Amino acid sequence: MQRGKNPKRRIAKAGFFTRTELAEFARRANYEGSAHHKLHPADYGFSPPVSPRAAKSVCDDVRVIRRGEAKRLLQAGFAKGLVSVCDPQAMPKYVWALDDDGEAYEAKLGRNSYHGYRLKDDERDMRDWIEDEWGRR
C-alpha cells in the first residue's frame, strides 16, 4: 500500500515483516526528535530550544508530546508493524502510530535517529488508513 507521492512512504502490509524482524527494528531504533517539528521544547534539550519550519508539520500543535511518550509511540508503531517497506537489514524510513487520543503520528528516520510529527489535517486519507490499520493489527 502506498499513500502520497513519496515511494519511501510505502506501508508494509500486515505480515510483511516477522515479529522477530519488527522487534529487532524496535531494539535498534533511536528517537531524538527534531526542533524543526516542535513548538514547545518540553524535555528534548534542544539548543536553540525550538525552531519550527513553516512548511513542516509539528508534533505538539495539539498538545505537548514529551520525549518518553514519543519513544513509546515509535515502539508501538513497530509492535503493530506500521512501518514502511525496507530491507530487513536496514531500518524503515517511516513508522506510524496513534496516541491515546486517536491522533496519527509519523516518525521519519534521519541520519541515525527518528523524529516525529502529527499528520496534518490535509493528510486525511493517510490518517484514516493509519487509524484503520491500527485497529486491525
Side-chain angles (χ1 to χ4, degrees):
M1 157 130 310
Q2 183 175 328
R3 299 282 181 195
K5 298 174 182 148
N6 186 342
K8 293 179 183 173
R9 220 173 173 198
R10 196 171 35 139
I11 301 169
K13 292 180 181 178
F16 184 86
F17 293 109
T18 67
R19 289 278 167 217
T20 302
E21 289 168 331
L22 292 168
E24 179 60 16
F25 289 150
R27 185 191 69 73
R28 292 175 23 210
N30 183 32
Y31 185 89
E32 289 297 324
S34 168
H36 298 306
H37 294 279
K38 302 277 186 268
L39 296 174
H40 310 283
D43 59 350
Y44 289 86
F46 297 130
S47 182
V50 292
S51 57
R53 293 186 181 163
K56 300 288 184 182
S57 179
V58 294
C59 74
D60 56 358
D61 59 336
V62 173
R63 64 183 181 82
V64 173
I65 305 292
R66 298 187 64 80
R67 191 172 179 172
E69 180 181 2
K71 288 180 177 182
R72 285 189 297 278
L73 286 169
L74 179 65
Q75 293 297 312
F78 283 119
K80 291 274 190 176
L82 288 177
V83 301
S84 58
V85 174
C86 70
D87 182 292
Q89 302 306 311
M91 290 292 285
K93 183 74 174 174
Y94 295 94
V95 181
W96 296 274
L98 289 185
D99 70 8
D100 292 339
D101 297 325
E103 289 291 336
Y105 290 86
E106 179 174 87
K108 184 177 180 182
L109 182 62
R111 287 190 182 124
N112 298 310
S113 63
Y114 286 90
H115 63 277
Y117 38 87
R118 192 175 69 84
L119 290 175
K120 294 180 181 181
D121 293 337
D122 63 353
E123 295 185 281
R124 188 76 242 170
D125 288 346
M126 182 70 160
R127 290 171 57 189
D128 288 347
W129 193 86
I130 296 300
E131 289 171 14
D132 290 346
E133 280 300 300
W134 191 263
R136 276 195 274 275
R137 296 185 188 195

